[in-house]
Amino acid sequence: MLAVLISKIARFDYPREWPELFSFLAQQLPSADVLTSHRIFMILFRTLKELSTKRLTADQRNFAEISSHLYKYCWHIWQSDLQTISHGFSIITQSYNSNDKEERHDDLYLTCERWLFCLKIICQLVISGFQSDAKCIQEIRPVKEVSPVLLNAAQSFLPYYTSLQNRHPKFWEFIKRACTKLMKVLVAIQQRHPYSFGDICVLQPVLNFCLNKITDPEPDILSFEQFLIKCMVMAKSVFECKEYKPSVTGRVMDENGVTLEQMKKNISNAVAGVLTRLLPNERIVLLCNVLIRRYFVLTTSDLEEWYENPEVFHHEQDMVQWTEKLRPCAEALYIVLFENHSQLLAPIVVSILQEAMNGCPTSTTEITPGLLLKDAAYGAAAYVYYDLSNYLSFRDWFNGALSLELSNDHPNMRIIHRKVALILGQWVSEIKDDTKRAVYCALIRLLQDKDLSVRLAACRSLCLHVEDANFSERDFSDLLPVCWDSCFKLVKEVQEFDSKVQVLNLISVLLGHVNEVIPYASNLMQFFQLVWEESSGESLLWIQLLIALRNFVIALGYQSPSCYSMLLPILQKGIDINGPDELNLLEDSMLLWEATLSHVPAMVPQLLAYFPCLLEILERNFDHLQVAVDIIEDYIILGGREFLSMHSSSVAKLLDLIVGNVNDRGLLSILPIIDILILCFPMEVPPLISSTLQKLVVICLSGDDGDPFKTAVKASSAAIIARILVMNTNYLAQLTSEPSLSSVLQQTGVAIEDNILLSLVDVWLDKVDNVSLPHKKAFGLALSIILTLRLPQVLDKLDQILSVCTSVILGGTDDLTEEESSGDNMSYGRSHDEDLLPSKELRRRQIKVSDPINRLSLENSVRDNLQTCAALHGESFNSAIAKIHPAAFAQLKQALKMP
C-alpha cells in the first residue's frame, strides 16, 4: 500500500516537485539487503506503472529519460538474480533431504520476488520508454537484447515445474508465475515493437518454441495450462500482426530516397519470409490438426464440470475471455490460422469433419473418443463458416446429419446438441430459404432441451437468426408461442447473471423483429416485472431490461398504456439522477422515456409529472442532448397547453440552459424545438423565453466566418425570429427595443449601425438561400411586414426585399414535403402500415398543416403591405420603385398578378 501511495504522489509531483525520487531510490540499492531491495523494486514498479499511463508528450519524454537511466542497471540486476535463482533451484532439486526446511530458503524466495518485480520494470521500460517502432520505424535495441534472454529463462525454468511441485510448493508457484510472466512480457514486446521483434534472431526462436510447445509438449507441460495459453497467445499475436503481412502494392518509380512506407514494406516482406520458412504447409496442417484433435476435445474434467453445473460450463466455454481458458484460446488461434491459410486448411477441416461423422453415427449414445472428436470437428466447422461454405453444403449437412442428431434424445447427446446449436447460429448467413423453416424448428427444439447449456447455446443462436437481415417472420410466426414460453421458463431456471442477460437479449430482439406481440403482452409484463424485482443492483441486467422494454413499448404502439402499471415505476427509477445506478441506467432510460412518449395516444398525468427530471439531467451535463431534445418535442406536441401551463418555468430554464452552452451541432438540434414551441403557442411562449430569444438575436447578428454549421445555426435562428415577427409582431418590436438586448449585444462585441430590427432584415436577406422552403416563406412574410415600418431606411432595402419575396412566391412553397423537426429519424416500429403512424407523428403533421405561415398568402401580404408602404412614404416610395431593374419589376408584377 505504501508503494501504491508513493506511485500516486509521483504521478502528480514527479518531476517538478519531486525530481530526486528515482535518484534517491537508485542510491539505496547498492547497499540494500535483499528485503530492502525487494521493497525498492516494488516502489519502482508501482511508480513506473503509474507514470507509464500518462499520455501527454512531455510526460512520455520524461518516461523515456527515466528508461535511459534505469534500464541497464535493472537489466544487470535481473540477470544476476536469474543466475542466483537458477543456482539455488539446482541445489534444491539435488538435495535428497525431504525434510529440508522452507525457512532456509527465505532469502532465495525474496530474490525470486525481486526478480519478478525487476522483470515487470524491464517490461515497462521497454514498452513505454520507447515509441512503438511501428510508428517511428527505428530499431529498438533492447528488444533484441532482452527477448532471447527472456526465452532462455523460460526454457531453463520449465524443467523445475515437475521437480518442485511436491517438495517445494512455494517455489513451484513461483515457477508457474515466472514462466507465464516471461511469455506475457514477450507478447507485450511483440505487440508494441513488432518490427524489432520481427528480426530473425528474435521471432524465429520465440515462435518456434511456442509452436513446439503447442504441438509437441512434454507430458508434464500439458497440465501447465496457463503456460500453453501464453504460447498460443504469442502465436496468435504473430499470425494476425498486420505489420507482418507482405505488401501487395508496388513501389512508385523514380522515388527520391526511401519513404517510411517503403521501409515498412521492406521489413514486412522480410518478416513474411521468416514466417514462410518457419511455417511450411506441413507444419500449418499439423498445427490445425493438433488444435482440433487435442485442444478442442472435451476432457474428463470438462465433462464433470458440465455435469455438475451446465450453466457455469456454458459461460466458461463460450463467454469467458479467450485468454483465460485453454480451449477458447485454442479456438481463437485456430480461427486466425484458418483466416491466413483458408485454401490450404479448408479441405483439411472438411476431411476431419467427414472422418468424425463416419466414426460416430448419429445413433451413438456412449461418450466415446469418436463422439468427442465429432464434437471438436463440429466446433471447428462452426467457427470458420465464412470460408468453409465453399467446400461444404449446409443444406446437405443439415439434412444428412445435423437434423438427425437432434432426433437422438439420449442424455449424452447433449454434447453434440450443444454444438449443433452453435453451428445453426454461426452458419446463419449460409442458410437458404428452403431450409430456414427446418432450422427454426430445430432451434426451438433445442431451446426446450433438458440441458441448460444446450438451451443457452440455442438461445444465442436463435438471437442471431432473428437479427439476420433475411429473417423470415412468415416461417417463424407459428413458433412464437412456444418460443416465448421457452424463454419465460428458461429465465426462471437459470441462476447466473450472464444467463439472464442472454435470455433477456433474445426477448428484446424478438420484440424488435416480430409483429405478433400483443397476444403475449400480459405474460411479457409479468416477465419484465419479475426480472426487475429479482435483478436489484445488477446494472447490466437492468440495461438489457430497459432495451427490451423500449422494444416492447414500440411493438405495443397505441396499446402501450396497458403496460404502464409495470413500466412507469421502472422508468421513474431510471431517470432519477440521484439514484445509485444513474450512471449506468440513464441513457437507456431516456431512450425508453422517448419511446413511451412517442407511442402514447394521449398524455397521462404520470408522464406529465416526469418533465422536471429532464431539467435536472441537463443541468448535470449534455451527454444525452439529442434524446432530450426528442423528449422535449414529445411533451410540446402531446402535452399541449396543459404541459405549458404546468411546466412553463422548467421549459424556460431548460432552453436558456441549452442555448449558449452547447456547440453548433447541439444548437441545430434544439432550434427546431423552439420553432415548434412558438408555432404552438405564439402569444404565450415568446415572453416566457425572452432570455433565450435574446441569445438567438445575438447569434443572428454575429459573424459566421463561413463555417457551415455556424451558417446553419444563424439561418435557423433567423427563421425563428421571423416566425415571431409574423405571429406576434408586437412582441418582437418590444424585444428588439429592450435595453437589456442592446447591452447583451455590446457585451458580445456586436456593432449595430441602424436599429436591431433593420439589422435582422439584413440577415433575412442574406440567409434566405440557406434555409428550407417553409423558412423561406417565413423570411418573405417577415420582410413584407417590414414594408409597413415608418422608417426611411426601409426604402433603401426595398429592391432587395421585393427581390426575395418575388423569388419565394415564384419558387413555390411545398410546405408539406419537408419535416422541420429534429425528431424525424424516430423509429415508428418495424412494419406498421403508413396510415398507422404513432400519435406523436400524427400530431406533428396536424400542427404543420395548421401553421399560419403555411396558410398565409405571401402574395397578398406583399401586395397589401406595398400599398401601406406607398402611403407611408409617398414620393420617396415611387423613387425607390423606379430604381428597380425592369426585368425584376416584371417578375414582381408576375408574382403579385398585377396587370
Side-chain angles (χ1 to χ4, degrees):
M1 289 310 301
L2 287 172
V4 170
L5 181 60
I6 290 168
S7 72
K8 299 295 182 185
I9 297 170
R11 182 179 184 88
F12 294 99
D13 286 4
Y14 180 83
R16 289 186 179 180
E17 305 296 328
W18 203 0
E20 71 281 2
L21 170 61
F22 289 103
S23 59
F24 173 79
L25 290 172
Q27 288 168 11
Q28 308 305 309
L29 279 170
S31 59
D33 57 25
V34 179
L35 178 60
T36 306
S37 62
H38 170 265
R39 290 176 176 172
I40 292 172
F41 275 110
M42 185 192 298
I43 295 168
L44 279 172
F45 165 66
R46 291 291 177 188
T47 305
L48 289 170
K49 185 178 181 181
E50 187 69 37
L51 295 179
S52 69
T53 62
K54 300 179 76 173
R55 308 313 316 153
L56 293 178
T57 305
D59 295 320
Q60 291 182 350
R61 277 200 301 268
N62 286 334
F63 197 92
E65 187 178 347
I66 295 168
S67 297
S68 66
H69 293 310
L70 287 180
Y71 167 72
K72 287 186 178 180
Y73 182 78
C74 291
W75 181 234
H76 172 73
I77 292 287
W78 184 87
Q79 289 178 299
S80 175
D81 281 351
L82 179 62
Q83 291 179 347
T84 304
I85 294 167
S86 299
H87 180 68
F89 284 172
S90 176
I91 294 173
I92 290 173
T93 53
Q94 289 172 13
S95 171
Y96 291 98
N97 180 10
S98 58
N99 297 320
D100 194 15
K101 293 185 178 180
E102 288 288 330
E103 302 93 72
R104 299 180 185 178
H105 306 302
D106 284 348
D107 277 358
L108 179 60
Y109 186 73
L110 277 174
T111 303
C112 291
E113 289 294 311
R114 182 176 70 181
W115 178 89
L116 270 176
F117 274 124
C118 210
L119 175 61
K120 294 175 183 177
I121 289 169
I122 290 164
C123 179
Q124 289 288 350
L125 297 177
V126 175
I127 298 297
S128 302
F130 300 89
Q131 186 182 12
S132 171
D133 64 5
K135 295 180 180 178
C136 66
I137 320 298
Q138 292 179 357
E139 182 184 277
I140 310 300
R141 293 187 61 186
V143 172
K144 291 184 181 180
E145 182 181 10
V146 165
S147 301
V149 182
L150 297 183
L151 179 63
N152 290 336
Q155 290 172 314
S156 66
F157 281 152
L158 278 175
Y160 296 113
Y161 178 75
T162 305
S163 58
L164 294 176
Q165 183 170 1
N166 297 321
R167 293 177 56 200
H168 299 282
K170 188 163 67 170
F171 287 119
W172 181 66
E173 286 295 330
F174 164 77
I175 288 294
K176 291 198 295 181
R177 288 164 58 202
C179 290
T180 52
K181 187 63 184 177
L182 285 163
M183 294 307 301
K184 188 175 181 179
V185 171
L186 284 169
V187 172
I189 292 174
Q190 187 277 327
Q191 291 175 346
R192 175 68 172 175
H193 304 300
Y195 290 135
S196 300
F197 195 91
D199 188 277
I200 191 168
C201 69
V202 178
L203 180 61
Q204 182 167 316
V206 171
L207 185 58
N208 210 32
F209 170 80
C210 291
L211 293 178
N212 286 338
K213 291 302 175 188
I214 294 168
T215 57
D216 190 25
E218 296 82 355
D220 50 327
I221 298 300
L222 268 174
S223 64
F224 193 179
E225 288 197 359
Q226 283 304 311
F227 184 74
L228 287 173
I229 286 172
K230 291 297 180 286
C231 290
M232 290 181 182
V233 172
M234 170 57 79
K236 177 177 178 289
S237 183
V238 170
F239 290 165
E240 67 185 354
C241 180
K242 66 179 187 298
E243 284 81 12
Y244 296 166
K245 307 292 183 186
S247 174
V248 294
T249 58
R251 180 175 176 179
V252 178
M253 299 300 292
D254 299 325
E255 282 186 332
N256 295 322
V258 181
T259 64
L260 280 177
E261 284 305 312
Q262 188 59 45
M263 292 169 66
K264 286 183 179 181
K265 290 177 187 176
N266 294 341
I267 301 171
S268 297
N269 291 334
V271 176
V274 174
L275 289 175
T276 302
R277 291 190 295 275
L278 264 173
L279 292 166
N281 287 351
E282 297 79 12
R283 195 173 198 182
I284 294 169
V285 171
L286 171 65
L287 179 58
C288 178
N289 266 288
V290 168
L291 289 172
I292 296 172
R293 295 175 186 273
R294 180 185 299 159
Y295 295 105
F296 282 21
V297 174
L298 293 169
T299 64
T300 305
S301 62
D302 290 329
L303 295 173
E304 288 173 357
E305 285 178 27
W306 189 343
Y307 180 77
E308 288 174 9
N309 195 327
E311 192 180 348
V312 171
F313 175 81
H314 166 78
H315 293 300
E316 282 193 349
Q317 295 301 313
D318 287 347
M319 299 181 73
V320 78
Q321 272 278 30
W322 63 270
T323 54
E324 294 177 13
K325 288 279 185 176
L326 186 59
R327 185 175 299 101
C329 190
E331 291 166 354
L333 175 59
Y334 161 77
I335 290 169
V336 173
L337 183 71
F338 193 96
E339 286 175 351
N340 289 353
H341 307 281
S342 57
Q343 290 185 336
L344 172 65
L345 294 179
I348 304 298
V349 174
V350 172
S351 70
I352 295 173
L353 180 64
Q354 291 291 348
E355 175 195 335
M357 290 167 63
N358 293 335
C360 179
T362 56
S363 58
T364 300
T365 57
E366 297 298 318
I367 300 178
T368 62
L371 180 77
L372 296 177
L373 178 61
K374 185 198 274 191
D375 172 72
Y378 275 10
Y383 299 132
V384 292
Y385 65 91
Y386 41 84
D387 281 314
L388 216 57
S389 58
N390 296 325
Y391 299 84
L392 184 64
S393 165
F394 178 82
R395 184 193 295 108
D396 295 344
W397 187 20
F398 179 77
N399 293 330
L402 300 182
S403 60
L404 300 178
E405 309 277 16
L406 300 183
S407 62
N408 186 343
D409 290 328
H410 192 279
N412 288 337
M413 285 302 291
R414 72 187 192 277
I415 297 171
I416 300 300
H417 288 176
R418 180 172 165 271
K419 278 295 161 61
V420 172
L422 173 68
I423 291 166
L424 297 183
Q426 292 293 319
W427 282 69
V428 60
S429 61
E430 305 302 322
I431 299 174
K432 308 304 179 188
D433 290 343
D434 58 351
T435 319
K436 283 186 187 293
R437 169 71 183 178
V439 170
Y440 293 160
C441 291
L443 284 169
I444 294 297
R445 180 171 181 172
L446 288 166
L447 197 60
Q448 298 171 287
D449 197 276
K450 295 177 182 178
D451 186 88
L452 275 179
S453 181
V454 174
R455 291 163 73 184
L456 288 168
C459 179
R460 186 182 55 189
S461 292
L462 192 55
C463 195
L464 294 172
H465 276 268
V466 177
E467 286 183 310
D468 181 53
N470 298 314
F471 171 64
S472 172
E473 188 176 349
R474 185 190 65 229
D475 290 329
F476 191 80
S477 57
D478 65 315
L479 301 173
L480 260 178
V482 183
C483 185
W484 288 124
D485 189 54
S486 299
C487 288
F488 298 151
K489 287 179 180 176
L490 182 55
V491 86
K492 289 178 182 177
E493 291 180 41
V494 296
Q495 301 296 321
E496 295 292 316
F497 166 78
D498 287 332
S499 304
K500 293 179 181 179
V501 170
Q502 198 170 324
V503 180
L504 192 54
N505 183 53
L506 173 58
I507 289 174
S508 179
V509 168
L510 283 168
L511 288 169
H513 290 82
V514 300
N515 286 321
E516 250 183 279
V517 172
I518 291 173
Y520 316 102
S522 178
N523 288 337
L524 283 164
M525 285 172 58
Q526 292 176 18
F527 166 75
F528 290 137
Q529 186 69 46
L530 179 69
V531 173
W532 177 258
E533 290 170 356
E534 292 184 353
S535 60
S536 178
E538 299 285 3
S539 296
L540 290 176
L541 190 57
W542 275 353
I543 289 169
Q544 199 64 53
L545 176 62
L546 292 168
I547 294 169
L549 284 172
R550 180 170 180 263
N551 289 336
F552 184 48
V553 167
I554 293 171
L556 290 177
Y558 291 132
Q559 299 190 38
S560 58
S562 63
C563 73
Y564 281 3
S565 60
M566 172 273 302
L567 175 73
L568 295 185
I570 296 174
L571 176 59
Q572 186 173 16
K573 184 175 180 64
I575 60 177
D576 178 12
I577 63 167
N578 298 313
D581 296 294
E582 172 270 331
L583 204 61
N584 298 315
L585 304 183
L586 186 58
E587 180 177 1
D588 292 293
S589 297
M590 289 184 70
L591 289 169
L592 173 60
W593 190 2
E594 199 282 326
T596 305
L597 289 167
S598 292
H599 294 83
V600 64
M603 184 61 72
V604 296
Q606 299 100 307
L607 285 172
L608 205 56
Y610 291 167
F611 184 77
C613 294
L614 193 61
L615 179 60
E616 294 178 4
I617 291 167
L618 292 179
E619 281 178 336
R620 178 171 291 189
N621 57 55
F622 297 113
D623 291 349
H624 312 293
L625 179 63
Q626 185 54 60
V627 67
V629 166
D630 294 338
I631 290 169
I632 298 168
E633 185 184 45
D634 293 338
Y635 274 106
I636 294 168
I637 292 173
L638 299 169
R641 201 166 294 279
E642 182 185 5
F643 159 69
L644 187 67
S645 62
M646 183 179 293
H647 298 297
S648 56
S649 61
S650 293
V651 170
K653 287 178 185 175
L654 201 149
L655 294 178
D656 196 47
L657 176 69
I658 296 173
V659 177
N661 290 307
V662 298
N663 60 20
D664 293 328
R665 289 177 184 269
L667 283 172
L668 286 174
S669 68
I670 194 64
L671 290 176
I673 306 305
I674 299 174
D675 188 57
I676 201 169
L677 186 62
I678 294 169
L679 164 59
C680 293
F681 311 105
M683 306 310 293
E684 299 91 334
V685 165
L688 181 69
I689 61 168
S690 59
S691 175
T692 301
L693 293 176
Q694 286 188 358
K695 293 178 182 179
L696 297 188
V697 171
V698 172
I699 290 171
C700 289
L701 301 182
S702 302
D704 55 29
D705 304 322
D707 182 287
F709 284 108
K710 291 190 182 300
T711 300
V713 168
K714 189 171 183 177
S716 298
S717 301
I720 292 171
I721 303 300
R723 175 179 291 283
I724 296 173
L725 180 58
V726 174
M727 299 181 72
N728 194 342
T729 308
N730 291 338
Y731 176 75
L732 188 67
Q734 177 189 331
L735 176 70
T736 54
S737 61
E738 284 182 1
S740 58
L741 177 57
S742 300
S743 175
V744 170
L745 288 168
Q746 285 180 355
Q747 290 171 9
T748 53
V750 177
I752 303 297
E753 294 181 5
D754 297 314
N755 66 35
I756 293 172
L757 195 53
L758 288 175
S759 297
L760 288 169
V761 170
D762 292 333
V763 178
W764 292 326
L765 293 171
D766 181 48
K767 299 301 177 188
V768 70
D769 292 328
N770 298 107
V771 294
S772 62
L773 285 174
H775 284 163
K776 286 182 191 291
K777 188 175 180 183
F779 280 18
L781 288 168
L783 290 169
S784 73
I785 292 172
I786 293 297
L787 295 175
T788 63
L789 296 181
R790 195 185 296 271
L791 293 172
Q793 296 94 325
V794 170
L795 298 180
D796 298 335
K797 305 176 190 296
L798 184 63
D799 186 1
Q800 291 174 279
I801 291 173
L802 294 177
S803 173
V804 167
C805 291
T806 301
S807 66
V808 172
I809 294 169
L810 296 179
T813 52
D814 189 11
D815 300 318
L816 298 179
T817 61
E818 295 186 36
E819 290 297 337
E820 296 172 57
S821 170
S822 62
D824 293 337
N825 56 358
M826 178 189 66
S827 170
Y828 306 148
R830 297 146 314 286
S831 56
H832 287 284
D833 295 329
E834 288 185 5
D835 58 333
L836 295 178
L837 295 170
S839 178
K840 170 187 172 180
E841 186 64 18
L842 286 173
R843 299 282 180 85
R844 187 200 283 126
R845 292 196 174 192
Q846 291 168 359
I847 290 168
K848 188 170 182 59
V849 169
S850 63
D851 185 354
I853 287 179
N854 291 337
R855 290 162 39 205
L856 286 171
S857 168
L858 178 57
E859 176 188 331
N860 292 340
S861 178
V862 173
R863 189 187 299 112
D864 294 344
N865 290 341
L866 265 178
Q867 292 176 359
T868 304
C869 188
L872 287 173
H873 299 284
E875 202 54 45
S876 300
F877 173 80
N878 295 331
S879 300
I881 288 289
K883 293 177 183 177
I884 298 176
H885 192 279
F889 190 71
Q891 282 189 323
L892 174 64
K893 291 173 69 175
Q894 178 191 346
L896 300 182
K897 298 183 177 136
M898 294 169 60

